[in-house]
Amino acid sequence: MSKVGIMVQVGRASEETANSKTLSTNLIMLKHYIFFTRNVMPQPGAAHLVHAANSADGMANLGYPSLLIHLSKEPSALNLTNLLRPFQPQAPSEELINLYNLRGKLKVAALPTPKLKSTSKLLKKATHPSTLIAKYYFPIHIRPAAQIVHSRDWNFVESAIKCGVPAIYEHHHHEEKQFDPEIVQNPLLQVAVTVADSVRESMIQNGLPADKIVKLHSGFNSVFLNRQPEQAATWRKQLLTNEQYLVVYAGALLPFKGVDLLLDVAQQLTHAHFAFAGGDETQVTAYKQLAIEKQLRNVTFLGHLSHTSLPGLLQAADVLAHPHCSGPASTFTSPLKLFDYLASGTPIVATEITSLVEFKSCNAIAGWCEPDNPDSFARCIQQVLETYPRKSEGYSHMIDYVQQFSWENRAAKLLSYVKDSMRPVLLQ
């Protein structure tokens, strides 16, 4: 290669590096809506990370500069570069985009987590993510980029308020810990949001002012609205052999979610095939073994499916099953998959639990039955199969109803509780 060619390549490389640095600098100079999770991303099957990614993405889709911050996938060596420049906002990876179906406007930043060989307790404490975030990452690197933060991590919210940054706190589960009065009374804590009335009550009992707490349901990604007739037909061809109907469950493979109950239902409804989407390898293996022990030939465990594959499966079903056992979790479980189900337009059979009964009046759920009763659930599925024939285009009243629960609508409602002066400025 000629010297001129080499000089041109070097020049282009230098220009690309300069442009990359400029982009990163410009992103940091912007005042962002920041959603933080103290988790490694991406992680298939983690519902709370689906919530995190889509909360940030929904805000970005409204036109606000939005940034999702999470811990880096791999622990990094403790080096000077990682310490001096740990905060590098950038476009999300293809893996992140595909897993959570992000729309391209959101930026992400992965915070390095040092990997130490030292046995020093002092050094380990100093480099623990909690310490790094509170004492170093937030005050020095994140604060200049933050207009407002949103997190389920109370320590992160506390760090933001102590640094003078407005905050939104998300809280989904019952806890006994009392909230710090100085933080909850601080005007920078704009709103605390939960998804269940019972959790709201426990938050009040633990010290959060009632006038700062709102209940907002989780949302759904609009990809579930897109009709996938070819994908649906492929799923039916793949799953249905001798059976006449397809019943689909999509969610965590956990007993309290009603998975074991649904296996008992499958024993009764041998003319239907039951497909389970979700769970990690260990859970899938365990349930496959349980199905063998129960001599079930009409069940399939598909494992975790991406958001690009799941909509077609939901639309392929004759009935979508939403079982749930009674117990403490039934009072606060978020109807995350209920909205995905509704967006598919496929008839739903749901259990009457505390966190779902408010949807009985909407007439978008085809059938309701009592919890912990496989006979009741089986009868309900059979009735729905007879009453609601499958429509490849879906039932329009369900699709129309669920539009209000998009992540973008949730983000807009959330911002309505934030003072104008504390909101990020819309991008031009």
Side-chain angles (χ1 to χ4, degrees), residues 128-147:
H128 189 277
S130 297
T131 307
L132 283 173
I133 291 162
K135 304 297 184 182
Y136 179 61
Y137 286 156
F138 194 96
I140 297 175
H141 298 282
I142 299 175
R143 181 182 180 182
Q147 177 61 38

Side-chain angles (χ1 to χ4, degrees), residues 54-371:
N54 282 279
S55 291
D57 193 52
M59 197 68 73
N61 294 332
L62 292 179
Y64 293 99
S66 302
L67 183 59
L68 172 64
I69 300 178
H70 59 87
L71 300 187
S72 60
K73 195 169 185 178
E74 297 294 337
S76 58
L78 190 61
N79 60 55
L80 191 59
T81 301
N82 287 335
L83 284 175
L84 294 180
R85 298 188 64 199
F87 184 56
Q88 298 294 320
Q90 57 192 288
S93 66
E94 285 299 316
E95 185 182 11
L96 204 68
I97 290 172
N98 292 335
L99 184 60
Y100 301 114
N101 202 61
L102 307 179
R103 256 71 59 84
K105 297 179 181 179
L106 178 67
K107 302 303 177 186
V108 300
L111 298 179
T113 52
K115 183 179 182 180
L116 300 177
K117 294 182 180 179
S118 172
T119 58
S120 169
K121 291 184 179 180
L122 184 61
L123 186 57
K124 284 184 176 181
K125 182 178 180 180
T127 56
H128 189 277
S130 297
T131 307
L132 283 173
I133 291 162
K135 304 297 184 182
Y136 179 61
Y137 286 156
F138 194 96
I140 297 175
H141 298 282
I142 299 175
R143 181 182 180 182
Q147 177 61 38
I148 190 167
V149 302
H150 180 183
S151 183
R152 291 171 70 167
D153 189 308
W154 177 253
N155 290 336
F156 186 83
V157 168
E158 194 171 32
S159 296
I161 290 174
K162 288 180 178 178
C163 288
V165 176
I168 298 168
Y169 177 51
E170 185 103 24
H171 192 73
H172 290 188
H173 298 96
H174 296 295
E175 291 182 5
E176 297 300 325
K177 183 180 178 180
Q178 290 288 314
F179 293 104
D180 184 345
E182 291 186 12
I183 300 299
V184 298
Q185 298 293 343
N186 194 304
L188 288 173
L189 181 63
Q190 290 293 281
V191 62
V193 57
T194 188
V195 294
D197 291 322
S198 61
V199 178
R200 184 180 186 275
E201 290 305 312
S202 68
M203 292 168 74
I204 293 171
Q205 292 172 10
N206 290 335
L208 256 165
D211 60 356
K212 281 194 174 185
I213 309 173
V214 298
K215 173 192 166 185
L216 290 178
H217 285 299
S218 297
F220 77 96
N221 194 302
S222 62
V223 69
F224 287 92
L225 292 171
N226 300 333
R227 303 312 298 174
Q228 304 283 353
E230 293 181 1
Q231 194 181 85
T234 300
W235 276 118
R236 288 184 70 84
K237 184 178 180 180
Q238 174 184 330
L239 294 169
L240 291 178
T241 51
N242 300 320
E243 302 90 0
Q244 185 179 358
Y245 301 106
L246 178 61
V247 178
V248 169
Y249 168 88
L253 293 186
L254 297 168
F256 77 87
K257 291 287 188 179
V259 178
D260 296 59
L261 178 144
L262 206 54
L263 291 181
D264 293 336
V265 173
Q267 283 185 314
Q268 300 184 42
L269 302 180
T270 56
H271 59 302
H273 194 90
F274 288 72
F276 296 78
D280 58 30
E281 289 185 15
T282 302
Q283 293 168 331
V284 169
T285 300
Y287 271 107
K288 282 183 176 179
Q289 181 58 40
L290 182 58
I292 292 172
E293 293 171 3
K294 288 178 174 286
Q295 298 182 335
L296 294 173
R297 295 181 177 85
N298 60 331
V299 300
T300 301
F301 291 92
L302 300 167
H304 175 76
L305 297 179
S306 70
H307 278 189
T308 56
S309 301
L310 188 55
L313 177 64
L314 299 184
Q315 293 170 29
D318 294 279
V319 167
L320 297 175
H322 198 309
H324 201 291
C325 297
S326 59
S330 68
T331 66
F332 63 81
T333 184
S334 172
L336 193 62
K337 69 172 174 276
L338 179 68
F339 300 140
D340 295 344
Y341 280 12
L342 286 166
S344 75
T346 305
I348 300 166
V349 171
T351 305
E352 292 182 353
I353 57 174
T354 305
S355 60
L356 293 186
V357 289
E358 67 179 273
F359 295 98
K360 289 190 71 173
S361 61
C362 72
N363 298 318
I365 312 300
W368 292 92
C369 58
E370 62 187 71

